[in-house]
Amino acid sequence: MRDYWARIRGGDLGTLPAVLGLLILILIFGSARSETFLSALNFANLFNQSAQIVFIAMGLVFVLLLGEIDLSAGFGSGVCGAVMAILLTTHGLPWVVAIPAAMATGVLIGIVLGLLVAKLGIPSFVVTLAAFLGFQGVLLTLLEGGKNIAIDDEFVTSLNNGTLSVRASWILAVAGVAGFGLAQFLRWRARVIRGLIAEPAGIVLARIAGVAALALSATYVLTLERAVNVSITSLKGIPIVVPIILFFLVLWTFVLGRTTYGRHVYAVGGNAEAARRAGIPVDRIRVSVFAIASFMASIGGILIVSRQSSVDPNTGGSNILLYSVGAAVIGGTSLFGGQGKIIYAVIGGAVIIVIENGMTLLALNSGVKFIFTGLVLLAAASVDALARRRAAASGG
């Protein structure tokens, strides 16, 4: 147990700064605009609004773990969304074809970018900056110079607009809490049995209790009626995008934390040359993380098209990329490689979207939003740098 606290003092803060920052932001905006910011309608909207950023940030965690960067993820998601839209409308194909095609497009994009970085040795900054510019042209070409393509497929539009039933919402919440609690207990027990560094049992129980309270409280709020006019339609239940986020959160957390591949990713991010000498296929790992990042960007593109029920030349553009990178870093992923988890992207995405949403409700102009978001990102990067310096000084 002492080793655990020594690790904390050594600078391994994990998500603590981001979580504290998120709580402070919620208190500030909740106090200033309690009638709107804390409403059930706005709470549900936060999930739908943050979906694209969270998914792109999840993918970027893999790239950042290797100390690389992908500047093309935003417009790459737009290209994938456009592919889906064109197949649905122009070619009249069903969603069971259009959605996998968009995902496959994302994987192909990532493989090409990864090969350029791994095999030709071109810096990822240069490769993905070129792709950032190129994908804007690809998107314009696909949209025939900039037209808007409307989507009316019921399944696609429900992905980031629909909700689960009240019963399904509570089943998801209870099952999620039970699964989280079991996973935490088994992980803690395994580390204790093996004599590894383990958190104090009290912290594990407190975390489980905290997640349970948060999940059940959130579910209660989301199952309240939030429709403006109930006589026209009823709106209650957890947004469909939430279980989608949870699925990929669990999937990629398992991949990074419980598989040989995940250990190889961390090893390459920590010291690529040492990993190569240990027999790890460094080039294949590099290609794979770009493929995963673009795959997740494709899902982000699908969800933003779902939310807007259309695709246009700005899909995936604007501040999407900057916010996605910011989400990964603010959550706790290191820009220097070797340190990061998928949950960091989710928490960081929550911080970003709370800032955006709260400042919009306060009617602050875009200049103030950019300045404040930039300061938050700078603070997160500073925490990362200081934590690494402290860890180096303590011999960690």
Side-chain angles (χ1 to χ4, degrees):
M1 305 304 176
R2 293 178 181 175
D3 291 335
Y4 170 76
W5 293 113
R7 189 179 66 183
I8 296 296
R9 290 193 296 270
D12 188 2
L13 300 178
T15 60
L16 182 60
V19 171
L20 291 177
L22 179 61
L23 292 176
I24 292 172
L25 288 170
I26 291 174
L27 288 174
I28 292 174
F29 293 131
S31 300
R33 285 288 185 274
S34 59
E35 71 285 357
T36 50
F37 182 80
L38 297 179
S39 67
L41 181 62
N42 189 61
F43 183 46
N45 180 60
L46 289 174
F47 291 103
N48 299 120
Q49 192 177 351
S50 65
Q52 185 182 28
I53 292 172
V54 168
F55 274 97
I56 295 177
M58 283 186 186
L60 288 175
V61 167
F62 282 86
V63 175
L64 291 172
L65 281 173
L66 265 61
E68 305 286 357
I69 190 66
D70 185 357
L71 300 176
S72 67
F75 276 111
S77 71
V79 169
C80 295
V83 168
M84 179 189 70
I86 291 171
L87 292 177
L88 286 172
T89 57
T90 305
H91 298 284
L93 296 174
W95 67 265
V96 292
V97 176
I99 290 179
M103 294 178 178
T105 301
V107 173
L108 179 61
I109 288 172
I111 291 174
V112 172
L113 295 177
L115 287 172
L116 291 173
V117 173
K119 298 300 183 181
L120 296 185
I122 306 174
S124 59
F125 179 88
V126 177
V127 170
T128 58
L129 177 60
F132 169 82
L133 298 172
F135 288 153
Q136 294 182 63
V138 172
L139 187 57
L140 283 171
T141 302
L142 290 174
L143 299 179
E144 299 178 359
K147 70 178 183 180
N148 184 298
I149 298 179
I151 304 295
D152 59 4
D153 185 281
E154 184 177 350
F155 178 82
V156 173
T157 54
S158 70
L159 290 176
N160 204 11
N161 292 296
T163 60
L164 300 175
S165 66
V166 172
R167 176 179 295 181
S169 297
W170 280 111
I171 291 175
L172 175 66
V174 173
V177 170
F180 177 79
L182 179 62
Q184 288 289 306
F185 171 75
L186 292 177
R187 179 176 178 271
W188 173 82
R189 184 172 177 271
R191 295 186 70 86
V192 171
I193 291 175
R194 296 173 185 175
L196 301 175
I197 297 176
E199 297 172 314
I203 289 183
V204 176
L205 292 174
R207 182 185 295 119
I208 295 173
V211 169
L214 181 63
L216 297 178
S217 298
T219 301
Y220 170 75
V221 172
L222 291 172
T223 52
L224 296 175
E225 182 62 65
R226 54 182 185 271
V228 177
N229 192 335
V230 183
S231 62
I232 297 177
T233 183
S234 177
L235 184 60
K236 51 187 176 181
I238 292 176
I240 291 176
V241 75
V242 172
I244 300 175
I245 292 175
L246 291 176
F247 171 79
F248 282 99
L249 172 61
V250 173
L251 171 66
W252 294 129
T253 297
F254 175 80
V255 168
L256 283 178
R258 298 291 181 177
T259 66
T260 301
Y261 172 78
R263 290 192 291 272
H264 286 178
V265 170
Y266 283 110
V268 174
N271 190 320
E273 185 56 34
R276 191 189 309 277
R277 293 181 180 182
I280 295 175
V282 174
D283 287 351
R284 274 189 286 176
I285 295 296
R286 281 205 173 97
V287 174
S288 69
V289 297
F290 279 97
I292 291 173
S294 292
F295 169 72
M296 294 302 291
S298 73
I299 298 177
I302 291 168
L303 291 175
I304 193 62
V305 171
S306 168
R307 178 168 172 77
Q308 298 174 345
S309 298
S310 66
V311 61
D312 59 63
N314 292 319
T315 301
S318 188
N319 305 315
I320 294 297
L321 173 66
L322 297 178
Y323 282 173
S324 299
V325 175
V329 176
I330 288 171
T333 304
S334 175
L335 289 168
F336 303 98
Q339 180 178 314
K341 296 179 181 178
I342 300 302
I343 187 64
Y344 294 179
V346 178
I347 295 175
V351 172
I352 290 288
I353 215 62
V354 164
I355 293 173
E356 173 72 16
N357 181 273
M359 290 193 168
T360 298
L361 293 177
L362 290 175
L364 299 177
N365 60 48
S366 297
V368 175
K369 293 180 185 177
F370 287 141
I371 291 172
F372 190 78
T373 306
L375 289 174
V376 171
L377 177 57
L378 180 61
S382 300
V383 169
D384 176 36
L386 291 173
R388 282 183 166 268
R389 180 180 298 179
R390 186 174 180 180
S394 62

